[in-house]
Amino acid sequence: MLGGAVRSVVAAVNALRAYGSALETPIDVVRYARLRLAKAWSSPAASRRPPVPLRVRALNGLPMLCRASQDVWTFKYTFVSQFHLPPVALREGALILDLGSNVGYTVAHLAQVHPTARVIGVEMDAANFTLAELNTAAYGERVRLVHAAVWTHDGEIAYGGEGDDAFAVSGDTGPRRAPAMRVDTILAAHGVTQVDYVKMDVEGAEAAILAEPAEWLDRVRAMKVEIHPPATMESIRNVLEARGFTCSVDAHHPRCLVALRP
């Protein structure tokens, strides 16, 4: 029992160190800790409160708005774990496509790390999209956000899910609806002919999106795809290798496939 308590204390200390390195000031660490606690308690009142600004070191102190919701985990994965960053160096003026942008943390970080890049972020959920607009406004014309589900056809889809970072397309029935767009449509709307890096985190939609005749893949140099059921690592690897990519499992994220053109 004592050993378990010691391990818990050590884990807590390590967590505080990690967030201390990601956040600008001790006040921001306290704000984040309060959001984590409110999320853990699943307080209905906390979930209705306005989002809290957290100043992020990796963004030179730019504040990111965070709710007492799954946002706290999205914040951690973005600014502490940083699974979303490209696996290779990108050229000047690169085009980055962020499929599944959530509240815009990854879009903002990608724009910050690559100061000459253009970033197109695509997010299905309306509330997440609104927050993403606020979180990325400082990057001006370099960032473009699209409110849509990435899908196999243009039109409209239904979606559901219990967490605001885990909404998934559910076909023709579901509690929520959103515009749907093919990747080819998104690229054409923005005049894109070459994509340097794609981050894809679309909660299982990758199985359908990549299974269709996806000519847009031929214009992509590097990808990271987070794998969710019904997709499998093997099925997505087969699709991407057939398109000329060399694939490997991300060394820091076992559910993420890295795809590179030789």
Side-chain angles (χ1 to χ4, degrees):
M1 184 177 295
L2 181 59
V6 171
R7 285 193 294 272
S8 296
V9 170
V10 170
V13 170
N14 288 337
L16 285 174
R17 286 175 177 168
Y19 294 119
S21 66
L23 291 162
E24 187 77 0
T25 70
I27 292 174
D28 295 297
V29 176
V30 170
R31 287 175 175 171
Y32 179 79
R34 287 176 176 170
L35 290 169
R36 282 278 294 266
L37 287 173
K39 167 60 179 170
W41 292 335
S42 300
S43 165
S47 65
R48 292 192 294 270
R49 292 173 188 160
V52 173
L54 301 172
R55 288 171 291 178
V56 181
R57 287 184 186 274
L59 304 180
N60 291 334
L62 185 73
M64 291 285 103
L65 296 171
C66 185
R67 300 167 293 190
S69 68
Q70 291 297 119
D71 288 0
V72 297
W73 299 116
T74 305
F75 187 94
K76 171 185 180 293
Y77 298 140
T78 302
F79 298 113
V80 178
S81 304
Q82 301 188 2
F83 296 136
H84 59 285
L85 292 178
V88 292
L90 301 184
R91 65 182 175 90
E92 292 291 307
L95 190 288
I96 299 172
L97 185 61
D98 186 333
L99 302 178
S101 299
N102 200 265
V103 296
Y105 298 155
T106 52
V107 171
H109 196 208
L110 287 164
Q112 182 73 37
V113 172
H114 304 282
T116 66
R118 292 171 57 204
V119 185
I120 299 172
V122 187
E123 172 55 34
M124 171 174 65
D125 181 66
N128 285 349
F129 178 80
T130 297
L131 208 56
E133 288 188 307
L134 296 172
N135 280 332
T136 60
Y139 296 97
E141 296 295 316
R142 288 202 299 119
V143 165
R144 285 288 178 265
L145 297 179
V146 179
H147 176 212
V150 184
W151 196 230
T152 58
H153 59 265
D154 299 332
E156 188 179 69
I157 52 85
Y159 71 98
E162 296 181 0
D164 41 37
D165 73 334
F167 290 131
V169 175
S170 55
D172 295 326
T173 60
R176 300 176 177 87
R177 304 196 75 82
M181 296 179 73
R182 299 176 68 246
V183 176
D184 284 310
T185 303
I186 295 166
L187 297 181
H190 291 83
V192 175
T193 58
Q194 177 80 48
V195 182
D196 294 272
Y197 174 57
V198 174
K199 184 225 92 182
M200 179 180 280
D201 183 1
V202 289
E203 301 299 330
E206 65 272 12
I209 296 166
L210 297 176
E212 68 164 350
E215 290 83 2
W216 61 272
L217 285 170
D218 297 334
R219 292 183 269 163
V220 175
R221 293 178 174 177
M223 295 182 71
K224 277 190 178 180
V225 183
E226 188 167 319
I227 309 298
H228 312 80
T232 65
M233 194 71 72
E234 182 180 10
S235 66
I236 300 302
R237 180 194 290 267
N238 288 341
V239 169
L240 294 179
E241 288 183 345
R243 285 283 180 177
F245 289 96
T246 299
C247 298
S248 61
V249 177
D250 191 315
H252 304 289
H253 189 350
R255 291 193 300 111
C256 184
L257 193 66
V258 176
L260 300 173
R261 290 208 176 275

